[in-house]
Amino acid sequence: MEMQLPPHEGDELSVVDMHTGGEPLRIIVSGYPEVKGDSVLSRRRYVREHLDHLRRVLMFEPRGHYDMYGALIVDSEIPEADLGVLFMHNEGYSTMCGHAVIALGRFAVDYKLVKEPQSPETQVNIHCPCGLVKAFVEYSNGKTGGVRFLSVPAFAFATDVTVTVEGFGDVMVDISYGGAFYAFVDAQRFGLDVTKSRTRDLVDAATAVTKAVKSQVKLHHPTSDDLAFLYGTILTDGKDDYSSEPTANICVFAEAQVDRSPTGSGVTARVALQYHKGLIQLDQIRTFQSGATGSQFTGKAVEETKCGDFKAVVVEVAGRAFYTGVSRFVQEPEDKLTHGFLLK
């Protein structure tokens, strides 16, 4: 039987679904109205103010779920960019997403968003809200493979900051930036293990830390106020000293959303933090494991740089993304739940 669209009104929304280390990425291919603005950051503000109903349609149930993640390809004002992208999730719009960059690198080559694929790697320049991110996609015999990317300048914002966390008292955290700001805490501070404890308990602890940091620590970013917000909290296994063995973490971001992957921008921020503390050197590769799924990324600091007055590093993160399907979504005007809902 030939598949046809069911009765509906308005444009269909076409997507390609992928995952990176278990973390979903819904790439929106068509159906969005024009996204206005003269920069990727201004387009991020525009979709938040004028097109947010479509984020809810595609991220929320019944078409998505509480932990769905999306990417909308937009124009970039940077000449060397192959594409611009806006990231979306259950709360709104983030500024950087490493797992999405890994997936988008492969997607860009497979869907011919770059003109001439090169072996053994094809470079894809992706303009994220945080800046230009260069991805390098394995390419051989017409097939794409693993992806590595070079981050925007990443830096430790503050270390050993004490915040008062509801239910846990005073907790010492580190705050680091990898395209987005994260708070880092050893899960053992809460009597938890990132690979064995109940996800609900990890989420509750991380969410409490995020709430405390947001209310007690003022963040700033040297280049844009749009980047100066805490995206989430990453609980770690505490194994920050250099080792060839994997170190595990779990990231809880946005509205208590759980990353199934090791978190690309989180790995970037964690590498910057470890480098700042003198725990790793340039080009020392570390393996980062998701506490949720066991999937792994690698990360290493490859170059010292500056971000405003902050000493920073460029971080290389590598992983694999896979396709899971394509979908064409529609809306019926009589459907009272067509705009989406979430169960918490």
Side-chain angles (χ1 to χ4, degrees), residues 63 85 97 112 167 197 222 228-229 301-302:
R63 300 170 190 85
V85 63
C97 180
K112 297 178 173 53
S197 296
F229 65 95
V302 297

Side-chain angles (χ1 to χ4, degrees), residues 197-305:
S197 296
R198 292 194 318 158
T199 302
R200 181 73 264 165
D201 294 336
L202 293 164
V203 169
D204 288 345
T207 301
V209 171
T210 296
K211 183 179 179 180
V213 174
K214 283 183 174 180
S215 64
Q216 298 169 43
V217 180
K218 182 175 177 56
L219 301 179
H220 68 271
H221 189 278
T223 64
S224 175
D225 290 340
D226 284 340
L227 305 177
F229 65 95
L230 189 74
Y231 190 31
T233 291
I234 296 179
L235 301 179
T236 78
D237 60 6
K239 298 177 181 178
D240 286 321
D241 290 332
Y242 177 74
S243 170
S244 59
E245 295 298 313
T247 176
N249 53 235
I250 190 166
C251 175
V252 181
F253 66 97
E255 187 63 34
Q257 190 163 336
V258 180
D259 196 333
R260 274 73 169 157
S261 80
T263 309
S265 56
V267 166
T268 302
R270 195 172 173 200
V271 168
L273 185 62
Q274 290 173 351
Y275 187 81
H276 173 80
K277 292 184 174 184
L279 302 176
I280 58 171
Q281 304 302 314
L282 289 179
D283 293 317
Q284 281 190 317
I285 299 174
R286 291 221 64 183
T287 300
F288 296 85
Q289 179 174 308
S290 165
T293 64
S295 61
Q296 295 182 346
F297 292 165
T298 59
K300 63 179 179 178
V302 297
E303 177 187 348
E304 290 183 341
T305 185

Side-chain angles (χ1 to χ4, degrees), residues 59-337:
M59 297 297 102
F60 290 9
E61 296 184 53
R63 300 170 190 85
H65 54 81
Y66 193 87
D67 296 301
M68 180 55 79
Y69 204 98
L72 175 64
I73 295 173
V74 296
D75 292 333
S76 167
E77 73 275 15
I78 299 177
E80 61 265 39
D82 294 297
L83 65 149
V85 63
L86 303 178
F87 304 118
M88 62 184 70
H89 45 69
N90 69 7
E91 184 185 48
Y93 304 88
S94 59
T95 54
M96 173 56 187
C97 180
H99 94 270
V101 165
I102 291 170
L104 284 166
R106 189 175 177 208
F107 172 86
V109 176
D110 289 335
Y111 281 75
K112 297 178 173 53
L113 300 184
V114 292
K115 292 181 180 179
E116 294 291 338
Q118 304 291 321
S119 295
E121 284 186 325
T122 296
Q123 182 172 334
V124 182
N125 293 335
I126 302 174
H127 187 185
C128 305
C130 65
L132 188 69
V133 176
K134 296 179 180 180
F136 301 87
V137 183
E138 293 176 358
Y139 186 77
S140 178
N141 298 320
K143 293 184 178 181
T144 51
V147 179
R148 62 185 179 93
F149 69 82
L150 298 177
S151 73
V152 296
F155 56 88
F157 178 81
T159 58
D160 300 332
V161 178
T162 299
V163 293
T164 302
V165 180
E166 184 176 357
F168 298 101
D170 288 347
V171 176
M172 190 172 293
V173 306
D174 295 326
I175 302 170
S176 190
Y177 178 82
F181 282 102
Y182 295 96
F184 290 85
V185 192
D186 187 339
Q188 295 179 43
R189 168 61 182 80
F190 310 103
L192 299 173
D193 184 309
V194 293
T195 62
K196 297 178 181 178
S197 296
R198 292 194 318 158
T199 302
R200 181 73 264 165
D201 294 336
L202 293 164
V203 169
D204 288 345
T207 301
V209 171
T210 296
K211 183 179 179 180
V213 174
K214 283 183 174 180
S215 64
Q216 298 169 43
V217 180
K218 182 175 177 56
L219 301 179
H220 68 271
H221 189 278
T223 64
S224 175
D225 290 340
D226 284 340
L227 305 177
F229 65 95
L230 189 74
Y231 190 31
T233 291
I234 296 179
L235 301 179
T236 78
D237 60 6
K239 298 177 181 178
D240 286 321
D241 290 332
Y242 177 74
S243 170
S244 59
E245 295 298 313
T247 176
N249 53 235
I250 190 166
C251 175
V252 181
F253 66 97
E255 187 63 34
Q257 190 163 336
V258 180
D259 196 333
R260 274 73 169 157
S261 80
T263 309
S265 56
V267 166
T268 302
R270 195 172 173 200
V271 168
L273 185 62
Q274 290 173 351
Y275 187 81
H276 173 80
K277 292 184 174 184
L279 302 176
I280 58 171
Q281 304 302 314
L282 289 179
D283 293 317
Q284 281 190 317
I285 299 174
R286 291 221 64 183
T287 300
F288 296 85
Q289 179 174 308
S290 165
T293 64
S295 61
Q296 295 182 346
F297 292 165
T298 59
K300 63 179 179 178
V302 297
E303 177 187 348
E304 290 183 341
T305 185
K306 295 275 285 186
C307 187
D309 292 331
F310 290 101
K311 292 181 179 180
V313 287
V314 174
V315 177
E316 179 185 291
V317 178
R320 288 291 305 269
F322 297 92
Y323 294 99
T324 57
V326 297
S327 296
R328 300 163 68 189
F329 293 111
V330 299
Q331 297 184 71
E332 290 189 89
E334 297 85 3
D335 182 1
K336 295 181 179 180
L337 298 178

